[in-house]
Amino acid sequence: MMVPLLFGITVISFGVMHLAPGEPIDIATDLNPKATKEMKERLRKYYGLDRPLHVQYFDWVQKVVVLDFGDSFSPDGKPVLTKIKESLPKTIIINVLSMAVIFFLAIPIGIMSATHQYSLIDKLTTVFVFIGFATPTFWLAILLMILFGVKLGILPISGWSSLYTANFTTAQKFIDVSKHLVLPIFISSFGGLAGISRYMRGNMLEVIRQDYILTARAKGLKERVVIYKHALRNALLPVITIIGFSIPALIGGSVIFETIFAIPGMGMLFYTSVMSRDYPVIMGILVIGAILTLIGNLVADISYAFADPRIRHE
Amino acid sequence: MNRIIRRILLVVMLSLVITSCGNKDGAGDKAAIPADKKVDYKPAYGDTIVMGSIGDISGLIPHITSDGSSQEIGSYIYNGLVRYDKNLNIEGELAESWDISEDGLKITFYLRKGVLWHDGELFTADDVLFTYKFMVDPDTPTAYAGDFLMVKSVEVKDLYTIEVTYDEPFAPALISLGIWILPKHLMEGKTLKTTSLATQPVGTGPFKFKQWLPKEKIVLVANDNYFEGRPYIDKIINRIIPDTATMFLELQSGGIDFMGLDPVQYTKQTGSAKFNEKFNKYKYLANGYTYMGFNLTNDKFKDKRVRQAIDYSINKEAIIKGVLFGLGRVATGPYKPETWFHNSAVKKYPYNPKKAKLLLAESGWKDTNDDGILDKAGKPFEFTIITNQGNDVRRKVCEIIQAQLKQVGIKVEIRIYEWATFINEFVNKKKFEALVLGWGLSRDPDAYDIWHSSKTKEGELNFVTYKNKEVDEMLEKGRTTFDQEERKKYYYKFQEILAEEVPYVFLYVAEALPVISSRFQEIEPAPSGITHNFIKWYVPKELQVYKE
């Protein structure tokens, strides 16, 4: 099932990409007095853009099945996979860390809001996570940069590491990178708290009202055991689905976020490729994203079955 | 090549014109520094300059790239045969001298002897020949082969003499040989994919390439054997910070030493004594102008009086004040003021709505139905201005024009399109009534491609379809004459005609606004900008920050 699905995705992506006006060569030739018609034709031929679309597509497919995503159309001419490899680790590190922070904070917040429904703490955390959800990241990022970077001078403003790290020990390098990551991870998790914590709260409330919780309480179990052993387990089930769906999101970067912090990740790579109509890179990222989405769905299904006996038996 | 490409580089496409950091050309004008700040320092080697740049380079072989950042990095690594000096006259770089034959068809270069490539090999005439061949090779994906396809032959006379022959005299020929010379020994027989130059460029310039971390930074180190002397500064780190607000914060916190400011930052955010102690601000006219072009095939704009009237009704000073906070100058033609070919005595169109209304009435546009909008033969005077997305300044310019034209009774709509759509669907196909756009300016006055009547086909640059026999003649003569005084006459005339005919409403030339950490000494603003003597910049020992 996955193979034809993937095939369909590539056909549509390829088609849509070529439907967009403009070509990879435009960036060098648009409004450029030195770029004559012959030069444009020459460039189109160089990149194989003069061939019919289906020929270009099958040529591309033939290479992709042996995992050759081709070379970028940008002047550095690097293989697509190299370009992705350059950007991917940073995006993954940031996404994994911020996702960990989100789950680490959002699940307890959700539980607490549910068990203390309509209490002060429920209301406070609700306000807090919604503020996080509603705050424009770029604005908050700049405020924090001014505070911690310029005024207090304790955190670096942007980038991945300091300029001079050659003489650093591994530990120092680790600290250096960690310092650079504090603001980005704070910003990206702050906005994500609301979703998961509200979701968790909803699940928990639903589970708590179930008969088996009543039974557990009736058995005289301690409230702690009731909540964390019996209720939590069941309330966490839907969260597994979310984790599965988050797998493709691990390689997706945010353009705004990466731009502000000058961290070169997948968001910027994809954005610049689209703007310069760098077809091979666009297709490469789309295909990898599609594969990961399909895998994510599969993982979610499998782990769900693993965690929930009801599904396994059906 | 920097110089060649600079002159044709578009005013930065997707980013704000004025925030681009690489704009270092143009006449200099240093913001006032209190006299008591001057201390006697001694030149010293060492330290690093960290530059902020909004865009990454697109490749390390600048001959096949077209973005400003790649050109800038290239300018530190490579040299050409000739270059512009600080007063914008052509001087020898890798060429010691040259002769131009009587008929203007042959240029003989006598090269500098003993210049070494960064890897220690000797630079010779063979490298020049090789670079020429590289540029005209159909397998080289460059948009800049045009100038070299006009060359008839290139002949190596001896190790240090080379002769370039043309079919017909071509005035910009000399400066086109400012193309950066590539090392033959590292490139010959290799393709762009296999050559080591794509990852480890080797030039003859003042700085050697050390490292490129894509979208993060580029590191260059001083070339000890540079033929004009080793640069004082040890290292250049070019940091890529795509967001200008972040870049500005990095500057304030000491993370970078050198960036281009935007007018808001220049006028409103950099006034404090503390800032001015740590940094020096400079300003000079950038190499580009912004204009509103008419589609001259549109009936509304066929009457010269209408175009003149629109020019009179647009208050350029108000635009400069409104969008550039006064940091720009009114443009009167397609050239930058202060160049030898700029004619300042052309007809000008100061803001004068009364005169505009008079001219419009003369050409038949009157408000007959009292709705505030002029009409003629029952049709109201309305048109649409288009511009590209992502350029806030241009959008604001459109809005100001819209408001000002409303005053004289012309209704203007504004449409903003994404760049590729804008160019392919509207500009190239001439599907527009008026547009607001910018041109990068040349240091050579040749403007054949933009104004000659033969360049009006689809996809060519005379997209306003301006056709004038006299202009054609001036442009043809101008590009085939070498004598500067004579060329000047042709281009003066050309500017007079344009000013009279108003195919564009020339709006303004913006100012480039670089800011540099005050520890750097010996910065000398000149007509060519501030980086012409970059290798002489230094940081006194006591002020050096980066010590390894």
Side-chain angles (χ1 to χ4, degrees):
Chain A
M1 193 52 214
M2 271 167 79
V3 175
L5 204 56
L6 196 60
F7 183 72
I9 292 173
T10 61
V11 172
I12 292 172
S13 317
F14 201 84
V16 169
M17 189 176 71
H18 282 269
L19 276 179
E23 283 196 327
I25 61 162
D26 288 352
I27 237 167
T29 58
D30 273 350
L31 298 191
N32 175 351
K34 297 292 161 194
T36 57
K37 264 219 163 82
E38 297 79 62
M39 292 318 304
K40 285 183 195 170
E41 279 314 307
R42 219 190 238 193
L43 282 171
R44 298 194 71 214
K45 206 163 173 186
Y46 182 84
Y47 292 119
L49 296 167
D50 52 342
R51 299 168 305 161
L53 207 53
H54 64 274
V55 177
Q56 290 184 45
Y57 177 72
F58 284 111
D59 191 49
W60 178 81
V61 170
Q62 268 175 11
K63 285 189 185 153
V64 167
V65 289
V66 291
L67 289 182
D68 175 7
F69 284 90
D71 294 338
S72 161
F73 282 170
S74 77
D76 60 13
K78 284 188 202 163
V80 171
L81 285 178
T82 311
K83 285 202 136 178
I84 292 177
K85 265 186 225 153
E86 283 165 1
S87 305
L88 197 54
K90 287 173 187 156
T91 299
I92 289 186
I93 289 178
I94 289 183
N95 284 339
V96 167
L97 285 176
S98 56
M99 215 130 82
V101 171
I102 289 174
F103 281 102
F104 189 75
L105 291 178
I107 291 176
I109 289 178
I111 297 171
M112 209 146 55
S113 310
T115 52
H116 301 81
Q117 201 185 1
Y118 305 131
S119 69
L120 186 65
I121 194 151
D122 180 24
K123 283 173 188 156
L124 278 182
T125 51
T126 307
V127 169
F128 175 74
V129 297
F130 277 104
I131 287 177
F133 187 63
T135 312
T137 44
F138 68 92
W139 176 75
L140 184 64
I142 286 181
L143 289 188
L144 293 178
M145 283 177 184
I146 294 175
L147 177 64
F148 291 106
V150 181
K151 299 267 185 252
L152 299 176
I154 48 175
L155 286 176
I157 289 171
S158 66
W160 184 257
S161 60
S162 299
L163 291 174
Y164 283 93
T165 54
N167 302 328
F168 279 17
T169 61
T170 315
Q172 278 173 316
K173 275 186 188 160
F174 180 77
I175 293 169
D176 182 54
V177 172
S178 308
K179 271 179 137 182
H180 280 84
L181 284 178
V182 172
L183 287 183
I185 292 191
F186 175 76
I187 297 284
S188 65
S189 20
F190 190 45
L193 278 180
I196 307 286
S197 64
R198 296 306 286 180
Y199 193 64
M200 193 63 213
R201 181 179 182 269
N203 285 337
M204 202 62 189
L205 282 175
E206 201 176 307
V207 171
I208 287 176
R209 288 194 205 105
Q210 297 292 322
D211 290 345
Y212 56 83
I213 296 296
L214 198 65
T215 315
R217 285 198 177 123
K219 279 199 299 189
L221 288 178
K222 279 186 201 134
E223 183 65 10
R224 212 167 52 93
V225 181
V226 173
I227 298 293
Y228 293 103
K229 193 159 178 209
H230 296 270
L232 181 60
R233 275 186 165 189
N234 287 297
L236 273 177
L237 279 180
V239 176
I240 292 174
T241 325
I242 296 195
I243 294 182
F245 287 149
S246 304
I247 290 180
L250 282 181
I251 71 151
S254 144
V255 180
I256 297 174
F257 175 83
E258 288 172 14
T259 306
I260 289 181
F261 286 106
I263 290 174
M266 294 296 285
M268 275 220 285
L269 180 67
F270 192 61
Y271 181 74
T272 46
S273 312
V274 170
M275 288 328 252
S276 61
R277 305 286 189 268
D278 191 345
Y279 297 152
V281 179
I282 300 176
M283 284 309 288
I285 297 175
L286 286 178
V287 167
I288 293 175
I291 292 175
L292 283 180
T293 309
L294 295 175
I295 292 179
N297 288 351
L298 191 69
V299 168
D301 286 349
I302 293 173
S303 49
Y304 210 78
F306 185 73
D308 189 346
R310 284 171 301 183
I311 291 187
R312 216 170 356 186
H313 290 306
E314 269 162 30
Chain B
M1 169 152 127
N2 177 23
R3 297 121 243 195
I4 309 167
I5 286 176
R6 273 281 164 75
R7 68 172 210 233
I8 44 182
L9 259 185
L10 311 171
V11 174
V12 182
M13 287 195 248
L14 293 166
S15 56
L16 291 177
V17 186
I18 36 158
T19 52
S20 99
C21 182
N23 273 329
K24 295 193 256 158
D25 324 276
D29 170 17
K30 189 168 183 198
I33 295 177
D36 57 351
K37 242 178 113 176
K38 297 253 170 195
V39 188
D40 271 334
Y41 288 124
K42 280 202 184 65
Y45 291 106
D47 214 351
T48 296
I49 185 163
V50 186
M51 301 178 173
S53 169
I54 51 168
D56 193 11
I57 59 173
S58 58
L60 285 167
I61 301 178
H63 304 70
I64 58 169
T65 62
S66 54
D67 58 298
S69 304
S70 307
Q71 300 307 319
E72 191 177 331
I73 295 301
S75 75
Y76 296 113
I77 299 175
Y78 292 102
N79 292 122
L81 292 185
V82 294
R83 68 176 169 208
Y84 283 106
D85 70 5
K86 63 179 177 182
N87 296 315
L88 299 176
N89 298 312
I90 295 177
E91 67 173 8
E93 193 166 50
L94 286 172
E96 228 157 29
S97 62
W98 60 88
D99 294 327
I100 301 173
S101 66
E102 279 292 307
D103 53 10
L105 293 177
K106 195 176 279 182
I107 310 176
T108 312
F109 289 97
Y110 305 98
L111 306 180
R112 232 176 239 270
K113 296 182 177 76
V115 174
L116 297 180
W117 292 101
H118 293 160
D119 63 356
E121 294 285 320
L122 192 68
F123 158 77
T124 69
D126 283 332
D127 295 312
V128 182
L129 175 66
F130 175 77
T131 304
Y132 159 73
K133 283 186 180 155
F134 174 80
M135 291 307 287
V136 296
D137 185 343
D139 285 337
T140 303
T142 175
Y144 303 105
D147 280 349
F148 302 96
L149 292 170
M150 299 182 75
V151 173
K152 188 178 167 196
S153 68
V154 178
E155 221 178 307
V156 174
K157 290 284 169 193
D158 62 48
L159 210 53
Y160 294 111
T161 313
I162 190 156
E163 202 175 80
V164 184
T165 315
Y166 287 80
D167 280 324
E168 53 188 73
F170 180 49
L174 187 55
I175 196 60
S176 76
L177 292 154
I179 179 94
W180 291 328
I181 304 300
L182 289 167
K184 181 186 176 192
H185 63 281
L186 291 174
M187 187 72 199
E188 196 176 34
K190 300 207 172 102
T191 68
L192 283 166
K193 297 226 161 27
T194 57
T195 176
S196 61
L197 288 185
T199 49
Q200 182 68 42
V202 169
T204 50
F207 285 84
K208 295 197 271 194
F209 174 82
K210 179 149 181 231
Q211 187 192 28
W212 175 26
L213 284 178
K215 299 202 170 65
E216 257 189 278
K217 65 180 174 187
I218 297 131
V219 183
L220 307 174
V221 292
N223 174 8
D224 290 331
N225 301 318
Y226 187 50
F227 60 84
E228 286 180 312
R230 182 197 193 274
Y232 284 111
I233 296 172
D234 271 350
K235 208 185 247 189
I236 299 175
I237 297 180
N238 195 63
R239 275 192 66 187
I240 293 112
I241 303 172
D243 185 78
T244 46
T246 308
M247 200 194 289
F248 188 55
L249 293 177
E250 280 283 8
L251 182 85
Q252 286 168 292
S253 74
I256 57 174
D257 300 317
F258 185 178
M259 71 176 276
L261 296 174
D262 67 32
V264 182
Q265 292 164 341
Y266 189 94
T267 50
K268 313 275 179 206
Q269 299 167 0
T270 54
S272 73
K274 198 178 152 203
F275 186 91
N276 284 299
E277 194 182 306
K278 275 165 82 182
F279 299 98
N280 290 329
K281 295 191 281 183
Y282 300 84
K283 63 174 179 179
Y284 51 81
L285 286 179
N287 273 336
Y289 65 91
T290 299
Y291 63 90
M292 179 173 91
F294 300 105
N295 187 341
L296 300 170
T297 58
N298 188 310
D299 283 336
K300 270 176 234 161
F301 303 122
K302 279 198 169 139
D303 189 334
K304 180 172 89 182
R305 288 169 299 184
V306 171
R307 304 195 300 264
Q308 289 177 335
I310 292 176
D311 207 340
Y312 276 122
S313 33
I314 296 174
N315 185 348
K316 292 112 200 160
E317 258 103 20
I319 292 179
I320 293 172
K321 222 172 147 192
V323 301
L324 302 176
F325 293 85
L327 295 165
R329 227 190 279 181
V330 176
T332 56
Y335 297 132
K336 175 171 144 177
E338 296 163 359
T339 47
W340 60 265
F341 42 86
H342 178 258
N343 184 351
S344 54
V346 297
K347 183 171 179 185
K348 294 186 183 74
Y349 296 86
Y351 182 53
N352 191 341
K354 271 198 197 117
K355 199 161 181 182
K357 277 185 193 158
L358 231 65
L359 279 166
L360 287 164
E362 252 177 61
S363 58
W365 291 99
K366 286 175 190 141
D367 188 8
T368 53
N369 55 3
D370 275 333
D371 63 349
I373 294 169
L374 302 176
D375 50 81
K376 183 173 164 183
K379 277 189 183 161
F381 198 156
E382 50 187 17
F383 67 94
T384 305
I385 304 179
I386 62 169
T387 193
N388 65 297
Q389 194 187 47
N391 191 321
D392 235 19
V393 170
R394 284 187 201 149
R395 181 181 55 76
K396 287 183 196 151
V397 167
C398 289
E399 283 164 7
I400 295 176
I401 290 176
Q402 183 182 40
Q404 290 175 344
L405 290 184
K406 199 177 163 197
Q407 309 274 315
V408 295
I410 300 174
K411 194 179 162 196
V412 171
E413 299 267 347
I414 301 168
R415 291 264 181 287
I416 295 170
Y417 298 102
E418 181 258 343
W419 179 260
T421 314
F422 175 70
I423 292 296
N424 291 299
E425 303 298 317
F426 297 96
V427 177
N428 284 351
K429 292 187 178 151
K430 300 185 182 177
K431 278 196 221 151
F432 62 92
E433 292 178 299
L435 47 71
V436 166
L437 209 57
W439 280 119
L441 276 179
S442 121
R443 288 170 175 187
D444 186 274
D446 181 26
Y448 187 88
D449 294 289
I450 298 171
W451 297 104
H452 196 272
S453 62
S454 69
K455 294 289 179 182
T456 52
K457 291 189 276 297
E458 184 174 325
E460 290 186 318
L461 298 181
N462 189 348
F463 40 71
V464 296
T465 325
Y466 181 65
K467 291 183 178 175
N468 181 310
K469 284 218 172 73
E470 213 182 342
V471 163
D472 286 355
E473 193 193 327
M474 292 302 124
L475 290 171
E476 284 157 21
K477 281 185 174 161
R479 72 183 339 214
T480 50
T481 309
F482 276 88
D483 183 69
Q484 202 176 88
E485 280 311 305
E486 212 174 318
R487 286 188 87 190
K488 191 167 158 178
K489 268 187 250 156
Y490 301 137
Y491 288 114
Y492 265 47
K493 182 75 190 159
F494 161 63
Q495 289 168 75
E496 279 163 25
I497 302 169
L498 284 193
E500 172 64 29
E501 298 239 291
V502 199
Y504 285 0
V505 174
F506 295 99
L507 297 171
Y508 60 81
V509 179
E511 259 159 329
L513 307 166
V515 58
I516 306 173
S517 164
S518 55
R519 71 178 196 274
F520 294 93
Q521 311 297 319
E522 200 59 38
I523 299 170
E524 182 198 325
S528 72
I530 55 170
T531 52
H532 60 91
N533 67 337
F534 187 76
I535 61 170
K536 298 271 180 259
W537 291 14
Y538 68 89
V539 181
K541 266 276 176 284
E542 57 269 39
L543 295 182
Q544 292 188 358
V545 172
Y546 296 97
K547 292 164 191 159
E548 269 185 290

